[in-house]
Amino acid sequence: MKKLFFLLFITSLSFAQNANRKFESFKEVNNALEIKTSDGLYIIKAYSDKIVETTFIPKGEIFNPNSEAVVLVPKANITKVYETPNSIVSTAYGIEVSVQKSPFQISYFYKTKPLFSEKSGYLKQKHIPLENVKGNIKTDSTEVIQFNISPDEMLYGGGARALGMNRRGNKLALYNRAHYGYETHSELMNFTIPMVLSSKMYAVHFDNSAIGYLDLDSKKDNTLAYETISGRKTYQVIVGDSWTDLISNYTDLTGKQPLPARWTLGNFSSRFGYHSQEEVEKTIKKFEDNNIPVDAIILDLYWFGKEMKNTMGNLDWEKETFSNPDKMIADLNAKGIKTVLITEPFVLTTSKKWQEAVDKKVLATDKDGKPFTYDFYFGNTGIIDIFKPDGKDWFWNVYKRLINQGVGGLWGDLGEPEVFPSEAITAGGTADEIHNVYGHNWAKLIADGYKKDFSNQRPFILMRAGYSGSQRFGMMSWSGDVSRSWGGLQSQMEISLQMGMQGMSYMHSDLGGFAGDYFDNELYIRWLQYGVFNPIFRPHAHEEVAAEPVYKDIVTKAKAKKQVELRYQLMPYNYTLAFENNQKGTPLMRPLFFEEPNNAKLSTVCETYLWGNDFLVTPITKSGVTTTSIYFPKNNNWFDFYSDEEQLAGTTSTVAVVEDHIPVYVRGGAFIPMIKTIQNTSKYTLDNFDLHYYFDAKTTQTSGKLYNDDGTTANAFEKGAFEVLNFNANANAKMLAIKLNSEIGKNFQSSDKNVALIIHNVKAKSVIVNGKSTPFKTVKNNIEIPVSWKKGTGVDIKIQF
């Protein structure tokens, strides 16, 4: 049967063979299959039944075993290898690799289902530059591998782009580079991840960090290709039984995102930039006076210099404008507000630390070993060699001093790096070899430093450039210098959804838009309304048009305040999403095709998305919209978050759009935990909270949970310093039964809780809690039940209809 599947597969795809590559022999070595060919050696090994890796080592080359991306250790003894007259097959009882001897061919299957095949294996070819794309490869020849793919599959991935959800048909440069002021289209941005995901629910990750290209069938001949200047000839194939399973497997391979501190899910005060200590304190005072919640303030480059140019690299307080930073930070911390500082990897020749950096030899060099200098917008500069132990230590000591001063978060800007000439040389390789992993290793430097010197703290690392697996360092990525325009807003859902599928689940945008002085309060509010259901809530912009709600007019400020308050009210739900991401890699924002993977109509949809499992969100991205069309997934009915109006499963409806909020719906049968608004997360508690349950006649059994810890301690879950509150519901035409129980870690001090249980869309005759009749309130079609939940106990609630 497997042979029949293979024959059907290879005859359904057109491919060209490498006639010069001949099979010679095979053997099993150290849980891997080694296949010797006339021009090199293939090594095939399984990490699990859903992840397999293939490496080719040409004759005369030495294999580099070091991966920038992979952290998973292959399981032992999970594969079986057998030979037929025409092939060698390695199976992990899930994913299967079939190697045809003649003509030589490698094909991949999952549970006997064909996925794709190599077209010709790795080859050297004459490089043809890609026109009109910045970041062209400057070399005469490159290495390329091509694959045969099916004509009907959609392709996602390649990092952060604005191209449409299905990226098939594009040739994508792999060269991290900022795109200032982009709107609806951007072919090249700060994250260029060498990974492709298919609608057939598999992914291919090219495990090589050098610059190159991903060609997603641009010639329309059913060919997927990876092209690079040099490096490892290794790729992993990852499969899954669902989209969430696929991403969980990929993040097993490259690392899970640490659970961030709870405050990082709150509101940020941010702009380019605050010029003085007085301005910082004045701004926070405005948040307090207006009772608008805020958890952190972000200081852009003026904290180390009065001027925008010629001061980058000072990396210390400008005392003329920040006269007493110790007191400022301490006062902010006393109010529960974190201070976050921008840093860059550039040390200008005009900066206060230039000579120190030269003397300590912490800079990238030229071919003669001298500090490599060049000009860019901010001045004449060198760049810190973070691949060199001395450079890494020097940079970390800067951060260590700031953290000891009370700084709560770190911002790494321009880390593509923004300008990085090919002639520069680092301890990790040439600029082109390490360009795409500079931001990745910068984040690693900080994460490792925290583990060594501040092991009980959760770091906040805000960066706009990274690589495969950067999520494991706690990187909070953002979508760069987006245009402050409706076009800029329109591209944000795609970017965040795509990056979440590639492991970077905290991809977010400068709320309100960054680039330009376009003034439009409607746009600003719509962007904030989207931001409520975004991984990070961080308005940020040039100072020409204020990003902070407190600097808006009275009407706009009041509208913005409601969005900030809602963000805090949803903190229990959002923090639980963060925990789920930490445990499983599941994105916070999820495309609709996660819900219906076989619905081809949803494969390109990004205008509506899922926030976690239970919210359906449709941002408004054009001015003056009064109605919009929304598809409601088929598994449950959906209820308007603001009015409780029901929408039937599997239908498309035109809904009214109002100015106060964007269309948001809740899945039938969902539990949504919420709290009352707080000024910041230092006031967070679950001693009193609301638990909303959305009754749906279509949904008879559901469950939900709420994760809780102190919000700050690193690895609290692993240390047993947590609690999980579990909710279960069973319903029929006459009764709804809800059970509450908890799991309390051995090192967590739980507390009794007062829960306002709000059941939507029902009218009740009676309510019984733990066997006792209990009074309840009825408001329209909702009932509210007071529940006293003693720690370590369960609660049984029965609602008679």
Side-chain angles (χ1 to χ4, degrees), residues 686-690 751-756 786-790:
L686 291 181
D687 289 352
N688 298 277
F689 72 94
D690 298 336
S751 61
D752 296 342
K753 295 171 175 60
N754 295 308
V755 182
V787 177
S788 178
W789 190 356
K790 300 296 183 182

Side-chain angles (χ1 to χ4, degrees), residues 261-267 293-295 335-338 568 571 675 678-685 710-712:
R262 187 156 42 226
W263 67 265
T264 66
L265 301 178
N267 178 35
V294 64
D295 258 276
K335 296 176 179 180
I337 297 170
K338 306 297 183 183
Y568 280 81
M571 189 65 69
I675 58 171
I678 51 179
Q679 188 61 27
N680 58 52
T681 55
S682 68
K683 308 297 183 184
Y684 183 87
T685 177
D710 68 5
T712 61

Side-chain angles (χ1 to χ4, degrees), residues 216-416:
L216 309 186
D217 195 28
S218 66
K219 297 178 182 177
K220 295 182 169 50
D221 60 354
N222 299 322
T223 300
L224 166 67
Y226 169 69
E227 180 182 356
T228 184
I229 58 169
S230 64
R232 288 161 51 88
K233 298 159 187 62
T234 296
Y235 63 89
Q236 294 91 23
V237 180
I238 308 105
V239 297
D241 296 316
S242 66
W243 279 106
T244 53
D245 183 43
L246 174 61
I247 295 168
S248 179
N249 295 332
Y250 169 72
T251 50
D252 280 344
L253 180 72
T254 60
K256 294 288 195 286
Q257 179 106 18
L259 180 63
R262 187 156 42 226
W263 67 265
T264 66
L265 301 178
N267 178 35
F268 289 78
S269 177
S270 184
R271 69 158 62 181
F272 180 31
Y274 301 110
H275 292 259
S276 67
Q277 182 170 335
E278 181 184 7
E279 193 173 358
V280 169
E281 293 167 346
K282 174 186 172 185
T283 299
I284 292 302
K285 183 68 162 53
K286 281 185 171 288
F287 277 95
E288 293 172 337
D289 291 345
N290 287 276
N291 295 315
I292 296 178
V294 64
D295 258 276
I297 186 162
I298 299 183
L299 276 62
D300 214 309
L301 50 79
Y302 297 113
W303 74 272
F304 54 71
K306 291 198 295 182
E307 305 299 329
M308 186 185 303
K309 297 184 179 182
N310 301 316
T311 60
M312 192 173 287
N314 285 349
L315 296 171
D316 204 351
W317 294 94
E318 173 54 58
K319 288 301 179 68
E320 189 174 335
T321 47
F322 290 86
S323 59
N324 194 344
D326 289 330
K327 184 178 186 305
M328 180 189 75
I329 295 170
D331 290 347
L332 290 171
N333 282 336
K335 296 176 179 180
I337 297 170
K338 306 297 183 183
T339 303
V340 180
L341 300 182
I342 194 173
T343 58
E344 300 88 356
F346 303 101
V347 182
L348 270 57
T349 56
T350 53
S351 74
K352 296 174 183 177
K353 281 192 166 48
W354 171 254
Q355 194 57 49
E356 178 186 328
V358 172
D359 293 344
K360 291 186 178 295
K361 298 181 179 180
V362 300
L363 301 170
T365 65
D366 60 19
K367 59 183 176 57
D368 298 320
K370 298 178 181 178
F372 184 83
T373 58
Y374 52 98
D375 293 327
F376 80 135
Y377 177 80
F378 294 95
N380 184 252
T381 194
I383 190 168
I384 301 168
D385 185 353
I386 61 172
F387 299 91
K388 186 177 183 180
D390 289 346
K392 188 184 301 183
D393 291 343
W394 183 85
F395 212 175
W396 172 246
N397 282 331
V398 170
Y399 290 128
K400 184 177 179 180
R401 169 175 52 82
L402 294 170
I403 297 166
N404 279 324
Q405 198 172 24
V407 168
L410 301 168
W411 175 8
D413 197 21
L414 312 182
E416 300 78 28

